[in-house]
Amino acid sequence: MRLAELSERSGVSTATIKYYLREQLLPPGRPVTATRSEYGEEHLRRLRLVRALIQIGRVPVSTAREVVAAVEDDARDQLSRLGTAVQALPHGPEPDEHDPSTDVARRTATELLERLGWRFNLERTDSPRAFQMLVAAIAALHRLGYACDTAHLLRYARQASELAVADLDLVEEYGTPAERVEAAVALTVLYEPVLLSLRRLAEAEESNKRFGRES
């Protein structure tokens, strides 16, 4: 397809597509003449990923480029490509190492993962950024005096395990390894607002069941 058709089918302006091409967020098209290239379904898929990252996830272009590079690195296996791509996504604040609550939180988080049997090498300096985000979140709970021991967190973590199964079942519906990695990254960004919304709706429903008769 020509650039104009790619723009029409993707809903992305030709100017933006050209910008993504310059920024190496899209692979170049197949040259047909000195001034014209052809684009395929892989460009449509990549545009969906880039739009999810930049427009929905508010990911900077430089970070999106890192994610795309990991997706394209077919020298790695699927697990490594996905891990690198997800690591590049924006995460929450890093733990404050000067806060005494951080030590407590890191012990709690480590114990939690051990109880779950989740196998991460958390002693490495490049341990998952999501783990660091978890430590920072638990530290905030601890600092403000809210429940955050392992017993309370286990209920949330077990629900997260079920969500992970649903996530990867969805990803495996895509055909090729490249499509699966692209989908996994895009869905990580796109489904997080879905999960937050559903949690708040579920809490509203549960609150109505428990406390609605009091009004």
Side-chain angles (χ1 to χ4, degrees), residues 129-178:
R129 293 174 67 188
F131 178 77
Q132 300 299 333
M133 184 167 60
L134 175 63
V135 170
I138 296 173
L141 287 164
H142 181 268
R143 185 167 56 251
L144 296 173
Y146 289 101
C148 59
D149 57 26
T150 305
H152 285 93
L153 295 171
L154 271 171
R155 296 183 65 185
Y156 290 93
R158 286 169 178 151
Q159 293 296 317
S161 288
E162 293 187 23
L163 289 171
V165 171
D167 285 344
L168 294 179
D169 283 347
L170 182 57
V171 166
E172 288 189 331
E173 293 179 10
Y174 291 81
T176 68

Side-chain angles (χ1 to χ4, degrees), residues 2 21 39 41 47 56 64-65 68 95 99 103 123-124 140 164 191 194 197 200:
R2 296 185 180 185
L21 287 164
Y39 302 91
E41 295 298 319
L47 276 172
I56 307 300
R65 194 184 300 113
V68 167
D99 182 352
D103 287 337
E123 301 303 318
R124 291 171 16 184
Y191 260 82
V194 173
S197 301
R200 292 184 180 180

Side-chain angles (χ1 to χ4, degrees), residues 20 25-26 45-56 59 64 68 186:
Y20 290 163
L25 296 172
L26 287 177
R45 291 200 318 269
R46 181 58 54 79
L47 276 172
R48 286 199 296 267
L49 171 61
V50 171
R51 291 180 72 189
L53 291 170
I54 294 176
Q55 296 180 15
I56 307 300
V59 172
V68 167

Side-chain angles (χ1 to χ4, degrees), residues 165-204:
V165 171
D167 285 344
L168 294 179
D169 283 347
L170 182 57
V171 166
E172 288 189 331
E173 293 179 10
Y174 291 81
T176 68
E179 287 178 289
R180 290 175 182 174
V181 175
E182 287 181 350
V185 175
L187 292 171
T188 296
V189 173
L190 295 171
Y191 260 82
E192 285 184 347
V194 173
L195 295 175
L196 177 58
S197 301
L198 287 173
R199 181 189 179 191
R200 292 184 180 180
L201 288 168
E203 286 179 346

Side-chain angles (χ1 to χ4, degrees), residues 59-85:
V59 172
V61 168
S62 59
T63 302
R65 194 184 300 113
E66 290 180 45
V67 174
V68 167
V71 169
E72 290 180 339
D73 189 359
D74 55 11
R76 302 184 182 197
D77 61 27
Q78 186 169 331
L79 177 62
S80 176
R81 290 160 74 183
L82 178 56
T84 301

